[in-house]
Amino acid sequence: MDLKKRLILANAATVIIPGLITVLAALAVFYLYGQFAFTDKTVVNFQKLVQAELEVSQSIKSALEQKPEMLEDQNFQKHLQEQLASYRGEILIVKKEEVIFASREFNQIEIDKCLQAEDWHSSLNKRLTLADTTYTIRSVGLKFRDGAPGKAVILLPVEKAAVQMKMAAAALGLLFFVLYLATSVLISFHFSRSIIRPLSNLQNAAGEISRGNLDYEIAEEGDGEIQALCRKLEAMRIKLKESIHTQLKYEENRKMLISSISHDLKTPVTSIKGYVEGIFDGIANTPEKMDKYLKTIYVKAGQVDTMIDDLLLYAKLDLNQIPFQFEPTDIEKYIRECILEFEPELERRQIRISLQSGLGQSHVLPLDRERMRRVLMNILDNSCKYMDKEKGEIKILLRETYTGIIIELRDNGAGIGPQDLPYIFDRFYRSDSARSQGSGLGLAIAKQIVEGHNGRVWAVSNAGGGTSILISLGTGSPAAEEKRREGKKDEQE
């Protein structure tokens, strides 16, 4: 449920529920009271009291209009007393704060109570208790024949039923107030489960995140708006965690880059420095030596440039900063093109390369042609480093599987020792026999690129000598499909 609707219903329930219970309680009280106490006689008595009050008031007003002197006439006073006697009512006539007539004997305290009743002219339902009897007070302003002011105070007994009804009304009012408080407490407690508790959990999560604990997951709970807030904050936490992870990874790569540069560049830079010093010292005193020294310096500088390029490329691949440009590619045709490109350099090293295809039909795969060419080049370069035969041979074999194809690059070189085989795709790892050659990132870069194609690369040692590097690529274009899904997701967002 939405938070807005829940708040409206809660506020309405806070008033409606106590109101309904109070109304039902009032109906029950009135019903029971009517059955056992509030009889027809009570109603008749109440009507008679009202009628007596009106009759006495009307008699006094008529006397004031016709003959004001009648107010002091004993017969008229006796008539008023008789009118009230049947209702157990009393009357006092006051002239200039002096009682000139009383229907019964009042002590001074009772007289003072009657005279001190506030606002005589509007006190229609004022009540006063005299001698264990509760009266309603009705005051009528008088003006005697000599012009003196006065008042007539009419006291009529209050029915017990009316008092009881007043007490019942007060009890019902108190009941409503108690129910209102109880309902408010119950609804607040209920809200603590659907609103306050999720907000408290969000507060705890924010505190954990602010302290650097990005593993504190934010669960979706509460009403719709709070769940949406939880989703947003959880997405923010994941993004922040990924960002920090990427930053830490970048820092690690940066440190490793600096360490690798300082280590791997030491040898070629030392060589360059030595040959330059030889030129300065006059050791290269012939044109042939000078040409040899300069060519060596050029080759070493090229090695330095290649090392730096490999380091930067791996760092970018590791941080997914290089996008792949996938194109539908006939894999067999593509491998043949690569062989034609690499063949001259391999022949110069006296290494023969060949292709053996076991594919029954053409297979079109989504490839980043430039990146995959770098994979093949790095693997072939690694094979050349370990080649210990005068006539080396590299075979590229293609075969089909249930889920895709496998490209195998098999050489007849020295092979890789079993202690080194599990680690040759780790960055900066080189076996002892190739410790001084390259940057140690060739196969690590190849692994990153193959995995960017949603493929897999691994190495095995051949029984007859040499090593095979195998690349498994799927025909369902998983990389392109993943890229398509990410693009569709971005469009929806």
Side-chain angles (χ1 to χ4, degrees):
M1 183 184 294
D2 293 340
L3 182 58
K4 182 178 179 181
K5 293 180 180 178
R6 184 181 290 274
L7 288 174
I8 292 174
L9 291 177
N11 291 332
T14 303
V15 177
I16 293 174
I17 292 176
L20 288 175
I21 296 176
T22 303
V23 169
L24 293 175
L27 293 175
V29 168
F30 290 152
Y31 174 77
L32 295 175
Y33 193 79
Q35 292 292 321
F36 300 104
F38 198 75
T39 60
D40 293 340
K41 182 179 179 181
T42 302
V43 176
V44 172
N45 290 338
F46 180 74
Q47 293 175 348
K48 287 182 178 180
L49 288 175
V50 174
Q51 183 179 358
E53 182 181 5
L54 292 176
E55 289 178 354
V56 173
S57 299
Q58 188 62 36
S59 298
I60 295 173
K61 289 181 180 180
S62 298
L64 288 173
E65 293 174 358
Q66 297 176 6
K67 295 179 180 181
E69 61 273 11
M70 291 178 61
L71 295 174
E72 299 180 79
D73 183 50
Q74 293 183 354
N75 293 327
F76 180 73
Q77 294 172 353
K78 186 177 180 180
H79 171 70
L80 294 177
Q81 183 180 5
E82 291 175 351
Q83 278 187 306
L84 292 172
S86 59
Y87 307 108
R88 294 180 291 110
E90 308 292 344
I91 186 170
L92 285 85
I93 299 177
V94 181
K95 181 179 182 182
K96 290 183 179 181
E97 298 184 357
E98 180 183 352
V99 179
I100 63 174
F101 174 74
S103 58
R104 72 171 177 83
E105 184 177 352
F106 290 90
N107 58 41
Q108 189 60 42
I109 295 176
E110 294 175 338
I111 294 173
D112 291 339
K113 286 183 179 181
C114 293
L115 297 179
Q116 289 176 3
E118 57 177 319
D119 194 7
W120 286 98
H121 297 288
S122 61
S123 57
L124 299 178
N125 293 309
K126 300 296 182 182
R127 294 186 178 181
L128 184 65
T129 300
L130 301 175
D132 297 331
T133 302
T134 302
Y135 298 92
T136 59
I137 300 176
R138 170 82 177 203
S139 178
V140 180
L142 303 178
K143 189 172 183 181
F144 293 89
R145 184 174 56 180
D146 56 0
K151 63 187 72 171
V153 180
I154 304 171
L155 302 176
L156 292 173
V158 178
E159 285 287 333
K160 291 183 179 180
V163 176
Q164 293 172 352
M165 289 300 296
K166 183 178 180 180
M167 294 175 61
L172 290 173
L174 179 62
L175 175 64
F176 176 81
F177 180 72
V178 172
L179 289 174
Y180 178 81
L181 290 180
T183 305
S184 299
V185 171
L186 290 175
I187 291 178
S188 299
F189 177 76
H190 177 70
F191 266 30
S192 67
R193 301 178 60 186
S194 60
I195 297 179
I196 298 176
R197 188 173 64 181
L199 292 178
S200 178
N201 291 339
L202 285 178
Q203 184 178 4
N204 294 335
E208 291 291 334
I209 292 174
S210 66
R211 287 189 288 271
N213 182 13
L214 297 179
D215 294 324
Y216 191 93
E217 296 185 3
I218 302 174
E220 291 185 21
E221 56 182 338
D223 295 306
E225 293 87 349
I226 299 180
Q227 288 184 3
L229 177 60
C230 291
R231 284 194 296 271
K232 293 293 184 182
L233 290 177
E234 176 66 8
M236 181 193 71
R237 181 192 69 83
I238 294 173
K239 291 278 186 183
L240 184 59
K241 184 177 180 180
E242 291 176 351
S243 175
I244 292 177
H245 176 72
T246 302
Q247 183 66 26
L248 292 175
K249 197 172 182 180
Y250 178 78
E251 282 293 320
E252 182 183 355
N253 285 346
R254 184 183 65 83
K255 292 177 182 178
M256 188 66 72
L257 177 64
I258 295 173
S259 175
S260 177
I261 288 176
S262 63
H263 179 272
D264 291 335
L265 296 183
K266 185 175 181 179
T267 300
V269 169
T270 300
S271 298
I272 292 172
K273 183 178 178 182
Y275 282 106
V276 171
E277 288 177 353
I279 294 174
F280 287 158
D281 294 340
I283 297 176
N285 51 12
T286 64
E288 291 79 8
K289 284 188 176 182
M290 179 65 73
D291 183 63
K292 179 181 178 182
Y293 276 37
L294 292 176
K295 286 182 178 179
T296 303
I297 291 172
Y298 178 79
V299 171
K300 296 297 181 183
Q303 291 179 2
V304 171
D305 187 56
T306 300
M307 291 178 186
I308 294 174
D309 287 343
D310 286 347
L311 289 168
L312 294 177
L313 176 60
Y314 180 82
K316 290 181 178 180
L317 286 170
D318 202 32
L319 295 174
N320 296 321
Q321 293 182 350
I322 297 181
F324 287 89
Q325 304 296 328
F326 294 102
E327 302 176 27
T329 304
D330 187 315
I331 189 64
E332 184 176 346
K333 183 178 179 182
Y334 174 74
I335 296 295
R336 293 189 185 279
E337 291 175 357
C338 291
I339 290 176
L340 291 176
E341 181 180 344
F342 301 147
E343 197 170 23
E345 177 63 22
L346 294 174
E347 287 181 353
R348 187 182 67 81
R349 299 186 183 187
Q350 296 184 348
I351 298 175
R352 187 170 65 90
I353 186 170
S354 61
L355 172 65
Q356 296 179 8
S357 176
L359 303 180
Q361 57 185 359
S362 64
H363 286 265
V364 177
L365 301 180
L367 295 181
D368 185 320
R369 300 171 66 89
E370 187 62 30
R371 303 295 175 210
M372 189 57 67
R373 183 178 285 106
R374 181 63 179 265
V375 171
L376 298 176
M377 182 181 69
N378 287 357
I379 294 174
L380 293 174
D381 183 63
N382 193 71
S383 296
C384 293
K385 290 176 186 178
Y386 289 90
M387 185 61 66
D388 60 349
K389 306 293 191 301
E390 291 185 3
K391 293 185 179 181
E393 183 179 5
I394 297 176
K395 294 181 180 179
I396 300 179
L397 299 91
L398 298 178
R399 60 177 178 269
E400 187 176 2
T401 66
Y402 289 108
T403 58
I405 66 164
I406 291 180
I407 306 171
E408 179 182 355
L409 291 91
R410 181 187 301 173
D411 62 51
N412 64 341
I416 302 174
Q419 72 278 6
D420 297 320
L421 200 62
Y423 308 107
I424 63 173
F425 293 101
D426 293 347
R427 57 187 179 184
F428 307 115
Y429 180 83
R430 289 167 294 183
S431 65
D432 292 338
S433 62
R435 178 65 63 185
S436 62
Q437 304 180 40
S439 64
L441 281 173
L443 293 182
I445 291 173
K447 180 182 178 182
Q448 289 280 2
I449 294 174
V450 171
E451 289 179 350
H453 286 71
N454 278 6
R456 190 168 68 93
V457 60
W458 68 99
V460 296
S461 293
N462 297 322
T467 305
S468 290
I469 305 294
L470 296 96
I471 301 171
S472 175
L473 298 174
T475 56
S477 69
E481 180 65 21
E482 179 66 23
K483 185 177 179 182
R484 184 188 67 80
R485 285 199 300 266
E486 290 180 356
K488 189 174 182 180
K489 181 179 179 183
D490 292 338
E491 290 178 1
Q492 292 175 349
E493 292 179 351

